Amino acid sequence: MNMLKKGELYYPSSTTRKKAWVKNKNIYQEANKDPVLFWEKLARELFWFEKWNKAFEHKAPYFKWFLGGKINITSNIFEKNPQGWEKIKKKTALIWEPEPTTEKPKKITYRELFSDVCRFANALKKLGVKKGDRVGIYLPMIPEVMVAMLACARIGVVHSVVFSAFSSNSLKVRLQDTEAKVLITADGYWRRGKIVDLKQSADEGVKETKVEKVIVVKRAGNNVSLDSQKDLWFHEIVKNEKDFCEAEPMDAEDTFFILYTSGSTGKPKGVVHTCGGYAVQAYWTGKWIFDFQGGDIFWCTSDPGWVTGHTYTVYSPLLNGITTLMFEGAPDWPKPDRWAQTIEKHKVNIFYTAPTAIRMFEKYGAALLKKYKFKNLRLLGSVGEPIDESSWLWYFTEVGKKRCPIVDTWWQTETGGILITSLPGLGPFKPAFAGLAFPGVQADIKNGNLVILPPFTPGMLRGIYKNPQKYEETYWSSYGKDVYFTSDGATRDKNGLIRIVGRVDDVLKVAGHRLTTGEMEDAINLHPNITESAVIGVSDEIKGEVPVAFIVPKENSQNLAQEVLAQIKKEIGPIALPKQVFVVDDLPKTRSGKIMRRILKKIISREDLGDLSTLANPESVEKIKLVVQKNQAGFIIALLNIIFITAGIAAIIIGLLWSTGVLEQIPGIFKH
Ligand code: PRX
């Protein structure tokens, strides 16, 4: 892996290849001959209380895997870990790096984690939480998020993790849909040197839900109000619990977790994953794609509030018996090299992050990382959005030091685990290309769109919670009931490597986070003074894509744009804030009333608008163009003002120093 030219293929070095789990490309042939048999073979390496009696069943658009099998993912993480419990129990399972640099990192062994999980599982049982019940988890990146997820899994309770930066309203919608009985949250957490009061959002979020108890982890020590009927401290309820709890044998097709994600409409969808297939896919994709070896320290930077955090911060590394790292804070806090320091300090071997983070560090400049050798790093990963060629090359050179292959991994909340990427011991790697489908995955491209064909994969979704119609419409209507439509555009090169072009629906990937234009519009439209709105995604140098909003007010008022921003923050959270809000009189529509977001996009990017005669209100377009131009001109004027003012102030200061003779004191300057 030492040449560096755009568009070229890279192959792993012989050392990487020798160490890799998969060295022979015949694996693809073997898997494709009979994918069901192949996955069955892989599934046998996990511990099952009872083996399945049928490997795969397909009643389109529904499918099942390992029917009749009984499993618990936590037995496979702890006492029945495929690597052997005796071998791993004293090993560090989790390294936790808190945000404040004054606080010490925590290292938790598999044995300790197992005890913590069992104690909390017993405490949950005591609260009356039973197999099949739903529990909400609204926690930051602290060890208890892992403990809470695993404790639910231990007793067969369905967890639904809600990203801690989501607003109380987002939490409420999810808790209402799952009808969760219990919510697990924290007093607060650290973000950019400040404490975020999570309990306050949780209190708002549980209103008008079926949540009976709120369990609060004491993390930041901020003052919180406790409701004596409802709230319980985490540390108090686990204090006297036994450190063993029997694992609940779960049917392979029982629901394991529900994770909400943005679809093409405003309402988030509860993606349902099941116990057996998810465990198999999480175990094997991690093992083969990241080449997990006994002593590895793996850092997946994703928050468990997202699917990447579920599968690759928590479940996959633990199933593989290696050490996973979790960092509480912001990547560049308190200094831009915090991540680099963390990689060095904890001797991270495999680093897995999103292109947004890569672009952000790239912008800080190469000097930032020059002093870091990253001696322990041997593999890099990318996920969540397309990585462009130049960021790929920067990542490869400055972080991987031209030594580490990059696995660009394509997958979705719905797929549960990675489906497309080249394997580290085989390659080939090509900048901006995810690569080949994982062995046993039948991926195809139909009219430029990526689809997955039967038998799909064991870890893929089984439905949308309480909404079969949405499931059928979203994934199984574009190409028929037996073709899974990913909503991603894709191409394939002559080597068969797949490149993901991006979403073809209304989903935006903002800094790798999945949001829809529909949910943002719904949030905006709740404002009493808004008639209608349209949100589009425009490309952004760092975040990949950012939202821009067009709003039509009932009456124009001065602070409307600010109010709209506040409204979005309240309804969804700060990650969904539009970069710009344009107040307009009307939105371009077809005669049937559909808003033409495509035209708005072209106005922003100053592209040719083409034929507008099919619009019901073509005159709206010129007016919007004027608003946008005025705004863009306003921005340039503001920028020029800042430059002139700064230059003016500098000139005054230099003048003053000159007149007082101070400058003449400085050696080498203005000596005459
Ligand atoms: O558009 C694809 C993009 O992220 C979408 C899925 O988002 P989410 O469900 O939030 O899961 C993200 C993490 C698995 C996909 O439909 N995406 C994900 N990985 C890649 C990607 N786009 C390009 N390259 C990738 N490696």
Side-chain angles (χ1 to χ4, degrees), residues 609-669:
L609 300 180
D611 180 16
L612 300 176
S613 62
T614 53
L615 290 182
N617 53 349
E619 71 289 349
S620 65
V621 174
E622 274 313 308
K623 288 192 193 159
I624 296 172
K625 259 169 111 178
L626 279 177
V627 173
V628 171
Q629 278 162 8
K630 218 168 106 189
N631 210 290
Q632 286 169 341
F635 175 72
I636 291 167
I637 290 168
L639 197 70
L640 287 175
N641 274 341
I642 293 171
I643 294 169
F644 285 134
I645 291 168
T646 318
I649 293 172
I652 292 169
I653 293 172
I654 290 172
L656 277 172
L657 294 175
W658 180 270
S659 61
T660 52
V662 172
L663 286 179
E664 292 187 17
Q665 313 289 320
I666 305 171
I669 298 185

Side-chain angles (χ1 to χ4, degrees), residues 531-532 534 552 584-597 599-600 603 609 611-625:
T531 310
E532 59 181 354
V552 181
V584 296
D585 291 340
D586 201 2
L587 294 167
K589 289 191 196 116
T590 59
R591 295 204 176 108
S592 59
K594 192 173 169 288
I595 297 172
M596 294 299 284
R597 292 184 187 77
I599 292 181
L600 296 172
I603 295 177
L609 300 180
D611 180 16
L612 300 176
S613 62
T614 53
L615 290 182
N617 53 349
E619 71 289 349
S620 65
V621 174
E622 274 313 308
K623 288 192 193 159
I624 296 172
K625 259 169 111 178

Side-chain angles (χ1 to χ4, degrees), residues 106 137 139 142-149 184 217-218 234:
K106 260 191 200 158
I137 300 179
L139 280 172
I142 56 175
E144 287 79 359
V145 67
M146 190 178 263
V147 172
M149 290 165 80
I184 306 157
V217 176
K218 198 173 208 145
F234 182 96

